[in-house]
Amino acid sequence: GDSVTQMEGPVTLSEEAFLTINCTYTATGYPSLFWYVQYPGEGLQLLLKATKADDKGSNKGFEATYRKETTSFHLEKGSVQVSDSAVYFCALTASGGSYIPTFGRGTSLIVHP
Amino acid sequence: ETGVTQSPTHLIKTRGQQVTLRCSSQSGHNTVSWYQQALGQGPQFIFQYYREEENGRGNFPPRFSGLQFPNYSSELNVNALELDDSALYLCASSGGTGGAYSYGYTFGSGTRLTVV
């Protein structure tokens, strides 16, 4: 079945540091890939997406590129801020069927001033 | 456009009781899905409704049931509550299966259920 694997957290960084959160996936067909962010006490918010190979999703300084050859969708940001502290979820929606998303376990990011 | 709204925001129930959680989907969205998120875990898919019909179900027992109404709002019902049902319950909507594939889901802020 479909699955998403994220790097274990927490990831702890100083403000203005470079961020990478790794995500790899297993899916049949041609999935769409997503990153969601969850701030404390809130629901998930869609951060960015990519629907086909080599697409780059970007939003709020975050980027991720859909790499079919390595089945990866790593999240990156050049300079993190304290306000980026949250839990980040990688997800996929497989093509065909009822398009139900599969989520990774989440990676907690803590940014210190 | 309005987002996804869930009610109530917090709830405390006793083991063995029944609970109903409610969700209003984003305007224009006809697909609603429900997730259970335990503390420190990712969302676990419960079920999904498309135009009032259930079109997908995760690995949850039958005491988890749901409805979608003609206005695409939805309910999650849980019978015979157990302590392990304590979690954040998230509702998410999308503009149909094609919308879910291309644009992802819009999530509500969730209902925090505590079973004692």
Side-chain angles (χ1 to χ4, degrees):
Chain A
D2 300 336
S3 67
V4 174
T5 303
Q6 293 181 234
M7 62 188 290
E8 293 279 336
V11 173
T12 304
L13 296 172
S14 297
E15 205 164 26
E16 299 183 4
F18 185 86
L19 168 71
T20 300
I21 299 178
N22 291 336
C23 171
T24 57
Y25 68 90
T26 302
T28 55
Y30 303 94
S32 290
L33 302 175
F34 304 87
W35 278 99
Y36 288 85
V37 58
Q38 186 174 33
Y39 298 100
E42 298 184 11
L44 278 68
Q45 300 175 23
L46 179 63
L47 181 60
L48 54 84
K49 64 177 176 70
T51 58
K52 61 182 187 295
D54 300 324
D55 268 2
K56 177 185 284 188
S58 61
N59 186 25
K60 301 181 181 179
F62 291 90
E63 293 182 342
T65 301
Y66 189 143
R67 300 289 188 197
K68 190 168 176 63
E69 64 275 16
T70 55
T71 61
S72 65
F73 193 53
H74 305 319
L75 183 68
E76 296 182 337
K77 187 174 185 182
S79 176
V80 293
Q81 306 299 312
V82 172
S83 57
D84 294 327
S85 298
V87 180
Y88 292 81
F89 292 93
C90 185
L92 70 83
T93 300
S95 58
S98 52
Y99 299 91
I100 294 165
T102 300
F103 286 88
R105 295 185 59 146
T107 302
S108 175
L109 171 64
I110 301 169
V111 181
H112 295 293
Chain B
E1 65 184 13
T2 58
V4 175
T5 57
Q6 293 187 241
S7 62
T9 55
H10 295 83
L11 201 52
I12 300 175
K13 288 287 192 178
T14 302
R15 188 172 50 183
Q17 284 188 315
Q18 178 266 343
V19 68
T20 298
L21 311 181
R22 294 179 173 82
C23 171
S24 294
S25 59
Q26 181 168 313
S27 177
H29 285 186
N30 56 18
T31 300
V32 173
S33 54
W34 285 90
Y35 297 83
Q36 180 193 68
Q37 186 180 22
L39 205 58
Q41 302 295 317
Q44 297 297 310
F45 174 73
I46 302 175
F47 45 59
Q48 176 169 283
Y49 282 84
Y50 172 64
R51 293 185 174 181
E52 304 178 59
E53 296 287 331
E54 184 182 294
N55 73 341
R57 188 176 181 92
N59 190 27
F60 280 80
R63 59 189 185 84
F64 286 79
S65 63
L67 281 173
Q68 188 181 29
F69 300 100
N71 66 354
Y72 303 133
S73 65
S74 178
E75 286 183 354
L76 164 64
N77 299 290
V78 187
N79 293 322
L81 284 166
E82 301 176 359
L83 297 179
D84 285 348
D85 296 333
S86 296
L88 180 67
Y89 288 85
L90 295 166
C91 171
S93 71
S94 69
T97 53
Y101 183 74
S102 299
Y103 302 108
Y105 284 79
T106 302
F107 281 81
S109 297
T111 295
R112 173 71 63 186
L113 173 65
T114 303
V115 182
V116 298

